[in-house]
Amino acid sequence: MGKELFRQLQLLTTEKINPRTERIDSMETADILDLINREDTKVAPAVQAEIPSIERAINLVVAAFKKGGRLIYIGAGTSGRLGILDASECPPTYGTDPSMVQGVIAGGKSAAFRSREGVEDNSGRAAREIAKLNVSKRDVVCGIAASFRTPFVVGGITKAKQLGARTIYITTNPRSILELSAFSEIRKVIDVAICLEVGPEVIMGSTRMKAGTAQKMVLNMITTTSMIKLGKVYRNFMVDLRMNSRKLEERAKRTVMLATGVDYTTAARTLKKAGNHVKTAIVMIRKNCSAPVARKRLKKANGFVRVALEEGAKR
């Protein structure tokens, strides 16, 4: 197994030496920073090149959400933490139930705060975690792994596929590597592969850098676009946010003000009448109607504020 793993690692772009940074240990601080920054500029184009695959992934996620399914991220180390971060931001930003987007990390919740080496090799544990979540054909499971081969992620994705879920795989190695015989088993269980070619890291194998940045960008795109497609955004406002902090209370008032042109007092008063629901408050003001009527219009419009504001709420 040792030699086989060694051979696999040699194939991975994320494990190669970056020729542009071989003398980084002899540079002045400003030059190091400039070099890291220049390498980071390669991330956005790498993400842009994969937009067709990201679109296919989002279509799977939106379809799952509309059927009452979930998006479940699974990863190890930095990749796992990024999944947990993205999942944890959805409830306060878009008012989603915490179960709708979830993150599973190798080593359990404690590994999100303190690195636990070796747990990424436990593919059986990943399969048990997926089974424990009662994953089904309604769900989408998204593996996040800078390399293609992380056993924990592969084990989780494989189990999810067996249970009928649709699967996404986000990696920072070229698609050509996925086509190699060494990765044939992984290939069989992936519905959509997102292959972000960010090149070798500034520090060889330190995938918390460019790889992590690219993964974070894609996760942002997946959940943000999915929430837009579910009607949780009006114009470019978060209109399904939960007012569970002073900051979010004030943001809600400001959103209502910007969306309708009313003053602070009117926004606050209408939000109260709307049960602190931003969408309802906007429709109440824009259509000069009561909260029950606004809710009815929103229901007819499947939660889309823009549609609810149109005459007859037609879609």
Side-chain angles (χ1 to χ4, degrees), residues 189-258:
V189 297
I190 300 172
D191 288 314
V192 178
I194 298 171
C195 304
L196 307 160
E197 296 189 43
V198 297
E201 294 288 4
V202 170
I203 307 299
M204 190 184 76
S206 182
T207 51
R208 71 187 185 90
M209 300 186 76
K210 287 190 296 184
T213 301
Q215 290 170 344
K216 178 66 167 66
M217 289 174 70
V218 172
L219 299 189
N220 285 347
M221 294 171 90
I222 289 173
T223 46
T224 299
T225 306
S226 295
M227 296 305 166
I228 292 169
K229 291 295 183 180
L230 292 178
K232 292 181 176 295
V233 173
Y234 169 56
R235 290 168 56 181
N236 57 359
F237 303 138
M238 297 179 287
V239 288
D240 251 342
L241 59 83
R242 293 179 179 177
M243 294 171 57
N244 52 14
S245 73
R246 292 296 300 276
K247 180 186 76 172
L248 292 176
E249 287 175 9
E250 297 309 311
R251 178 178 289 163
K253 293 170 190 173
R254 186 165 184 266
T255 297
V256 172
M257 292 169 65
L258 291 170

Side-chain angles (χ1 to χ4, degrees), residues 6-275:
F6 184 81
R7 284 194 292 270
Q8 283 186 354
L9 292 177
Q10 284 185 307
L11 297 171
L12 303 177
T13 302
T14 47
E15 295 293 329
K16 294 188 181 300
I17 295 173
N18 189 329
R20 294 174 294 278
T21 65
E22 283 193 88
R23 294 190 57 80
I24 198 168
D25 61 329
S26 65
M27 292 181 173
E28 297 296 329
T29 300
D31 295 327
I32 292 172
L33 297 177
D34 182 66
L35 186 51
I36 292 173
N37 182 244
R38 276 187 279 130
E39 287 296 305
D40 284 344
T41 63
K42 297 177 171 61
V43 175
V47 172
Q48 184 179 37
E50 282 297 291
I51 282 179
S53 294
I54 298 169
E55 180 185 11
R56 292 199 300 274
I58 290 168
N59 289 340
L60 293 182
V61 173
V62 172
F65 286 160
K66 288 182 176 180
K67 294 175 184 175
R70 302 164 295 175
L71 169 60
I72 299 169
Y73 294 126
I74 184 165
T78 297
S79 298
R81 293 183 192 99
L82 289 171
I84 288 174
L85 174 63
D86 195 67
S88 68
E89 291 290 345
C90 288
T93 307
Y94 297 110
T96 59
D97 187 280
S99 66
M100 187 174 173
V101 184
Q102 300 181 45
V104 176
I105 185 171
K109 292 181 180 179
S110 63
F113 303 97
R114 189 183 181 103
S115 180
R116 293 184 60 190
E117 301 303 324
V119 291
E120 68 175 40
D121 296 324
N122 195 334
S123 60
R125 175 65 183 271
R128 291 191 294 274
E129 290 286 342
I130 291 297
K132 191 163 64 176
L133 288 171
N134 295 315
V135 167
S136 73
K137 62 182 180 181
R138 293 195 307 172
D139 301 316
V140 173
V141 177
C142 177
I144 314 169
S147 70
F148 286 115
R149 55 148 305 275
T150 308
F152 185 84
V153 182
V154 175
I157 288 291
T158 301
K159 183 63 176 179
K161 192 67 175 174
Q162 291 170 355
L163 294 171
R166 304 303 297 270
T167 58
I168 302 166
Y169 211 84
I170 301 173
T171 184
T172 47
N173 274 278
R175 197 172 301 277
S176 58
I177 291 180
L178 183 60
E179 300 301 321
L180 298 176
S181 59
F183 301 100
S184 60
E185 292 304 308
I186 304 175
R187 195 165 61 240
K188 292 176 185 176
V189 297
I190 300 172
D191 288 314
V192 178
I194 298 171
C195 304
L196 307 160
E197 296 189 43
V198 297
E201 294 288 4
V202 170
I203 307 299
M204 190 184 76
S206 182
T207 51
R208 71 187 185 90
M209 300 186 76
K210 287 190 296 184
T213 301
Q215 290 170 344
K216 178 66 167 66
M217 289 174 70
V218 172
L219 299 189
N220 285 347
M221 294 171 90
I222 289 173
T223 46
T224 299
T225 306
S226 295
M227 296 305 166
I228 292 169
K229 291 295 183 180
L230 292 178
K232 292 181 176 295
V233 173
Y234 169 56
R235 290 168 56 181
N236 57 359
F237 303 138
M238 297 179 287
V239 288
D240 251 342
L241 59 83
R242 293 179 179 177
M243 294 171 57
N244 52 14
S245 73
R246 292 296 300 276
K247 180 186 76 172
L248 292 176
E249 287 175 9
E250 297 309 311
R251 178 178 289 163
K253 293 170 190 173
R254 186 165 184 266
T255 297
V256 172
M257 292 169 65
L258 291 170
T260 65
V262 300
D263 60 24
Y264 181 91
T265 302
T266 303
R269 184 173 62 246
T270 308
L271 274 167
K272 188 174 181 179
K273 290 179 180 178

